[in-house]
Amino acid sequence: VQLQASGGGLVQAGDSLRVSCKASGSTFGRSIMGWFRQAPGKDREFVAGVSRSGASTRYSDSVKGRFTISRDNDKRMVYLQLNSLKPEDTAVYYCAAYSRAILTSPIYDAPEMYDIWGQGTQVTVSS
């Protein structure tokens, strides 16, 4: 699986944005997918994850209720809808795949569990 993120940009506080991740490769449908972000001077942090089927999701407390992750396995796409954006959401957003997932695997929030990473897309929220 190879991943390519897109859709970032400069927005104002309160605005919405959708970032996308295009996957190539036959293992996409068997991978748990996650979105992470990294702000300058900070560690990479988990934002959201989605199960292989898309039926289960997990969010960090900081984005719960504002962000929505989804996937389209037919198109090999993962999306992150970002609503009610805040300046503290400013970061590079990365999509990642846990390609060794099995049916009972949980959605991990630890970046070291994800073995495939995209290049990242910058989201900047001005106040």
Side-chain angles (χ1 to χ4, degrees), residues 7-19 66-67 81-91 93 122-127:
L10 172 62
V11 297
Q12 293 186 333
D15 285 351
S16 297
L17 195 66
R18 189 177 79 162
V19 292
R66 299 189 298 122
F67 292 7
Q81 178 69 39
L82 297 75
N83 295 333
S84 301
L85 282 160
K86 305 175 181 179
E88 51 264 43
D89 294 319
T90 295
Y93 283 71
Q122 176 71 46
V123 173
T124 303
V125 185
S126 63
S127 58

Side-chain angles (χ1 to χ4, degrees), residues 14-34:
D15 285 351
S16 297
L17 195 66
R18 189 177 79 162
V19 292
S20 304
C21 179
K22 175 68 175 177
S24 61
S26 60
T27 61
F28 174 75
R30 300 194 297 272
S31 300
I32 288 173
M33 300 301 297

Side-chain angles (χ1 to χ4, degrees), residues 98-120:
Y98 173 42
S99 67
R100 300 184 297 272
I102 60 174
L103 192 60
T104 56
S105 293
I107 300 172
Y108 294 105
D109 61 359
E112 57 266 26
M113 294 302 297
Y114 293 77
D115 54 314
I116 300 171
W117 291 81
Q119 85 286 6

